[in-house]
């Protein structure tokens, strides 16, 4: 039994450790933020200064004409919106099917859903590439979006799981009552069940936004033209074009910050959904 | 049944068919220009007996998995134990730990480019001011693996894996700790005898997922180190990507992909088999 004073000391120690780790983890982003606000001369100065002496937004003003940044952001928004919408529709339907109906091999099929999260996606990438090439869809957004409409893109298996876990908690009596009132299956789903399902749907939407916004490999394989790049590819292109020079460093950091900000804002607005998403499932890396 | 039809369609088109087709392709010679030519097991023979780069990439990937996964899983577990204490501000700290795993990975790479820079980097600056030896980090074949591990730890140690551990910790009944304390168990003893056994299913899950995902590491190798220096970060999927989409050896790349598939399957199956010895699954 610790005396009050030692207990305070332990609590203080825990707080200090946790705070130091938090600082260490946030530091790289903070550094990039302040560095992007420095004038070029100050950026390379030693010792490095955490706070800029004079704040300038020139990097944020210049990048728009240096690279098609507005276009990249627009592309990312379009892909993210359409992909997420597809996942939302398909994965809730599928999750509902797995949660509320009995059919042959249901549990075995559901195990298959979960195993797709574990299988290395890269194995399927070459045939999918050949298929989209034959369809003439390479260098369009379709290869990024269409799989998400049939619950087979990004982390669809995870979203099906989240939806199913939630739908299983809703009493069957609710559906039965609606049936007696003359509702069809689809009407029960749309009118009775969906309005109750806002929290899991929000989780699915948020996780899917984060995934689409940050995805790198899929657009790398399917998109060739620079004006069709999403922001993640654009960032890489900008870095490659600098060829290791530090001349446009503030600009590169500015684009980096711009690509991060939407996710950070989203995260702080809806932190609990992200956390429940990763816990209820335990299926993310 | 009608409700799951989107998934049945998606699974057939984007999983089942590609898996089968890539198995077929792995027995062919195909470069997109000419029709695929059946060559039997030639791709596999070349991979196993002639292609030293293949073995090299498998080796560096295995080394990364062997070093990074234990560090990262133990790190997440310790962080979860730390943040499980309800101290003021802990929610904010947890959010800070979680954040790197949410941002686009390429953006994370850009943040670290400058930290790792041997000349201008923050890391070397602080090492120097503490009187410690500096390092070439990602510029030297000797330290690049360490740099990648540091980067990946930063990225994911406080992410979903930590949250899963945290949820597991909260599920352990408080009474068990009280009983242990009455029996005279100290904090370390409580951790080893109560926490770890009850957490073992969660630990197992996290371990399996971490190994699967680390075998597929790609963006950091593509963007931060470009496979170098001296191919020290030519990880498996990067080598596969180059064969498929840069050298256009579609057949050969499919064989490489299938070997990865089988390696991951074998390791995961092996872990499930071993798990019977150390994981305490709850009996229903």
């Amino acid at each position: 039994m610790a005396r009050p004073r030692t207990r305070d000391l332990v609590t203080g120690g825990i707080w200090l450790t946790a705070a130091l780790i938090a600082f260490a983890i946030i530091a790289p982003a903070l550094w990039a933020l302040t560095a992007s606000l420095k004038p070029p001369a100050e950026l390379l100065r030693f010792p490095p200064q955490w706070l800029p002496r004079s704040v300038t937004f020139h990097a944020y003003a210049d990048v728009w004409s240096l690279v098609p940044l507005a276009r990249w952001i627009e592309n990312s928004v379009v892909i993210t919106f359409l992909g997420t919408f597809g996942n939302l529709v398909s994965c809730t339907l599928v999750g509902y099917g797995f949660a509320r109906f009995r059919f042959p091999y249901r549990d075995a099929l559901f195990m298959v859903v979960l195993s797709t999260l574990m299988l290395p996606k890269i194995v399927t990438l070459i045939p999918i590439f050949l298929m989209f090439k034959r369809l003439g869809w390479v260098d369009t957004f379709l290869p990024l979006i269409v799989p998400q409409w049939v619950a087979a893109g990004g982390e669809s298996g995870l979203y099906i799981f989240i939806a199913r876990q939630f739908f299983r908690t809703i009493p069957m009596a609710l559906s039965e009552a609606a049936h007696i009132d003359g509702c069809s299956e689809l009407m029960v789903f749309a009118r009775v069940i969906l309005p109750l399902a806002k929290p899991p749907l929000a989780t699915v939407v948020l996780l899917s936004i984060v995934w689409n916004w940050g995805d790198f490999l899929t657009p790398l394989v399917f998109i060739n033209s620079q004006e069709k790049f999403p922001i993640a590819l654009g960032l890489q292109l900008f870095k490659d074009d600098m060829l290791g020079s530090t001349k446009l460093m503030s600009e590169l950091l500015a684009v980096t910050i711009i690509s991060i900000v939407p996710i950070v804002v989203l995260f702080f607005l809806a932190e609990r959904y992200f956390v429940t998403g990763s816990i209820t499932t335990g299926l993310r890396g | 049944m009608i409700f799951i039809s989107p998934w049945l369609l998606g699974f057939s088109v984007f999983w089942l068919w590609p898996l089968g087709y890539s198995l077929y392709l792995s027995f062919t010679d195909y470069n997109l220009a000419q029709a695929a030519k059946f060559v039997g097991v030639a791709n596999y023979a070349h991979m196993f007996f002639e292609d030293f780069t293949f073995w090299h990439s498998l080796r560096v990937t295995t080394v990364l998995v062997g070093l990074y996964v234990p560090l990262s899983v133990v790190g997440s577990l310790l962080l979860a134990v730390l943040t499980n204490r309800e101290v003021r501000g802990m929610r904010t700290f947890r959010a800070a730990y979680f954040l790197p795993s949410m941002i686009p990975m390429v953006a994370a790479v850009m943040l670290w480019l400058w930290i790792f820079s041997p000349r201008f980097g923050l890391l070397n600056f602080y090492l120097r001011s503490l009187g410690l030896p500096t390092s070439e980090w990602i510029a030297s074949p000797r330290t690049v693996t360490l740099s990648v591990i540091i980067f990946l730890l930063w990225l994911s140690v406080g992410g979903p894996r930590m949250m899963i551990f945290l949820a597991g910790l909260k599920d352990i009944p408080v009474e068990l700790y009280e009983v242990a304390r009455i029996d005279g168990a100290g904090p370390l003893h409580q951790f080893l005898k109560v926490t770890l056994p009850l957490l073992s299913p969660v630990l197992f899950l996290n371990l399996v997922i971490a190994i699967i995902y680390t075998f597929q590491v790609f963006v950091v190798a593509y963007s931060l180190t470009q496979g170098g220096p001296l191919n020290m970060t030519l990880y498996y999927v990067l080598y596969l990507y180059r064969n498929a989409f840069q050298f256009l050896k579609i057949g050969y790349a499919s064989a490489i992909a299938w070997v990865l598939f089988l390696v991951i399957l074998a390791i995961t199956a092996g872990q499930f088999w071993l798990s019977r010895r150390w994981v305490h699954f709850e009996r229903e």
Side-chain angles (χ1 to χ4, degrees):
Chain A
M1 302 301 120
R3 280 169 295 146
R5 185 170 288 178
T6 26
R7 190 175 294 167
D8 283 352
L9 223 59
V10 170
T11 311
I14 288 170
W15 190 90
L16 198 65
T17 319
L20 282 176
I21 297 173
F23 179 74
I25 287 183
I26 291 301
L30 271 184
W31 168 256
L33 179 64
T34 59
S36 69
L37 296 172
K38 287 175 188 170
E42 217 181 301
L43 195 58
L44 292 172
R45 185 175 296 161
F46 257 81
Q49 313 268 303
W50 275 87
L51 292 175
R53 292 229 183 98
S54 47
V55 172
T56 159
F57 289 93
H58 80 92
Y60 289 88
D62 293 350
V63 282
W64 305 91
S65 55
L66 274 171
V67 287
L69 181 60
R71 194 61 194 270
W72 292 342
I73 293 174
E74 188 192 316
N75 294 340
S76 272
V77 169
V78 169
I79 295 165
T80 303
F81 178 77
L82 291 176
T84 299
F85 196 42
N87 256 326
L88 180 66
V89 173
S90 63
C91 294
T92 31
L93 280 176
V94 174
Y96 185 70
F98 275 115
R100 311 285 283 190
F101 300 97
R102 302 195 162 276
F103 49 85
Y105 304 114
R106 183 186 67 174
D107 295 339
L109 283 174
F110 190 67
M111 283 310 289
V112 176
V113 172
L114 294 184
S115 65
T116 57
L117 276 171
M118 305 269 198
L119 295 175
K121 225 181 161 87
I122 188 85
V123 183
T124 61
L125 198 58
I126 293 170
I128 293 175
F129 174 77
L130 296 177
M131 177 176 76
F132 283 137
K133 198 172 149 56
R134 177 156 299 181
L135 288 171
W137 287 6
V138 169
D139 210 25
T140 72
F141 294 160
L142 290 171
L144 313 186
I145 294 164
V146 168
Q148 306 196 55
W149 279 88
V150 287
E155 298 169 305
S156 294
L158 175 67
Y159 313 146
I160 294 174
F161 184 78
I162 293 175
R164 170 189 179 259
Q165 295 308 86
F166 179 81
F167 290 135
R168 269 157 63 104
T169 63
I170 299 176
M172 282 309 263
L174 213 59
S175 311
E176 281 153 18
H179 277 308
I180 294 166
D181 290 345
C183 283
S184 71
E185 282 299 348
L186 213 59
M187 269 168 75
V188 173
F189 177 66
R191 297 274 172 77
V192 182
I193 306 289
L194 271 191
L196 296 170
K198 275 174 198 148
L201 298 192
T203 302
V204 167
V205 166
L206 291 166
L207 291 180
S208 173
I209 289 175
V210 168
W211 187 87
N212 275 289
W213 192 262
D215 182 29
F216 187 76
L217 182 58
T218 335
L220 182 68
V221 168
F222 291 110
I223 309 280
N224 309 319
S225 331
Q226 293 179 9
E227 76 273 5
K228 289 180 189 158
F229 276 8
I231 182 88
L233 278 193
L235 196 51
Q236 174 70 22
L237 177 75
F238 192 1
K239 181 212 146 197
D240 287 344
D241 283 352
M242 285 169 50
L243 298 169
S245 114
T246 51
K247 223 176 92 200
L248 293 174
M249 204 63 208
S250 330
E251 283 80 1
L252 179 65
L253 290 173
V255 179
T256 307
I257 297 291
I258 291 171
S259 77
I260 293 176
V261 162
I263 298 299
V264 174
V265 170
L266 205 63
F267 179 74
F268 279 107
L269 286 179
E271 178 214 335
R272 69 199 170 99
Y273 292 113
F274 286 102
V275 174
T276 43
S278 64
I279 291 170
T280 48
T281 63
L283 273 164
R284 297 187 78 227
Chain B
M1 199 72 178
I2 203 97
F3 280 94
I4 71 158
S5 56
W7 176 78
L8 285 175
L9 179 68
F11 179 73
S12 316
V13 176
F14 294 109
W15 281 103
L16 217 49
W17 173 79
L19 275 178
Y21 192 50
S22 83
L23 183 62
Y24 160 73
L25 284 172
S26 76
F27 295 108
T28 67
D29 183 9
Y30 184 36
N31 61 7
L32 293 182
Q34 285 129 359
K37 195 173 79 204
F38 192 78
V39 292
V41 294
N43 286 328
Y44 291 95
H46 175 68
M47 192 190 320
F48 292 141
F49 302 117
E50 290 162 9
D51 188 355
F52 295 112
T53 317
F54 162 77
W55 286 107
H56 173 81
S57 79
L58 183 59
R59 188 170 63 240
V60 290
T61 312
T62 312
V63 167
L64 181 76
V65 171
L67 292 173
Y68 164 71
V69 169
L71 278 175
S72 151
V73 170
V74 170
S76 296
L77 174 59
L78 292 181
L79 215 51
V81 171
L82 178 77
T83 56
N84 195 26
R85 306 287 288 258
E86 287 309 324
V87 181
R88 186 185 310 183
M90 201 50 101
R91 215 180 128 93
T92 317
F93 295 150
R94 259 183 241 140
Y97 303 158
F98 197 71
L99 213 47
S101 63
M102 292 285 106
I103 66 174
M105 214 191 275
V106 185
V109 165
M110 301 307 154
L111 298 181
W112 280 83
L113 267 183
W114 256 36
I115 294 171
F116 281 138
S117 159
R119 258 180 355 127
F120 307 107
L122 277 188
L123 215 47
N124 272 355
F125 171 75
Y126 285 110
L127 286 175
R128 210 175 296 130
S129 55
L130 290 171
L132 295 169
T134 59
S135 163
E136 292 286 301
W137 300 114
I138 55 172
S140 153
R142 283 171 47 207
T143 48
V144 69
T145 307
L146 175 69
S147 310
V148 168
I149 291 173
I150 293 174
F151 172 78
L152 290 176
L153 281 175
W154 173 81
L155 197 73
S156 67
V157 79
R161 194 180 310 125
M162 184 195 84
M163 292 300 173
I164 295 166
F165 273 132
L166 202 57
L169 286 173
K170 295 216 188 288
D171 276 350
I172 300 176
V174 189
E175 295 81 30
L176 287 178
Y177 290 105
E178 279 161 14
V179 171
R181 215 172 302 148
I182 290 164
D183 286 349
L188 185 69
H189 219 77
Q190 287 175 30
F191 179 75
L192 292 176
K193 297 287 174 186
V194 179
T195 311
L196 267 189
L198 286 167
L199 212 56
S200 58
V202 179
L203 185 63
F204 173 67
L205 177 74
N206 272 334
L207 199 63
V208 169
I209 297 171
I211 290 177
I212 291 175
Y213 276 68
T214 311
F215 258 105
Q216 299 177 65
V217 63
F218 175 76
V219 177
V220 61
Y222 183 92
S223 182
L224 184 64
T225 59
Q226 289 97 45
L230 289 181
N231 281 352
M232 278 309 285
T233 56
L234 184 61
Y235 296 126
Y236 200 98
V237 173
L238 180 61
Y239 185 55
L240 165 53
Y241 170 84
R242 285 187 180 168
N243 270 292
F245 299 106
Q246 284 174 2
F247 313 148
L248 295 182
K249 297 186 193 167
I250 300 292
Y252 190 50
S254 301
I256 298 178
W258 258 85
V259 169
L260 177 70
F261 184 46
L262 295 177
V263 165
I264 287 181
L265 226 54
I267 290 179
T268 309
Q271 278 180 290
F272 271 96
W273 185 75
L274 278 176
S275 73
R276 284 182 298 184
R277 287 156 189 258
W278 65 275
V279 179
H280 299 247
F281 290 111
E282 266 176 69
R283 283 186 217 109
E284 307 239 335

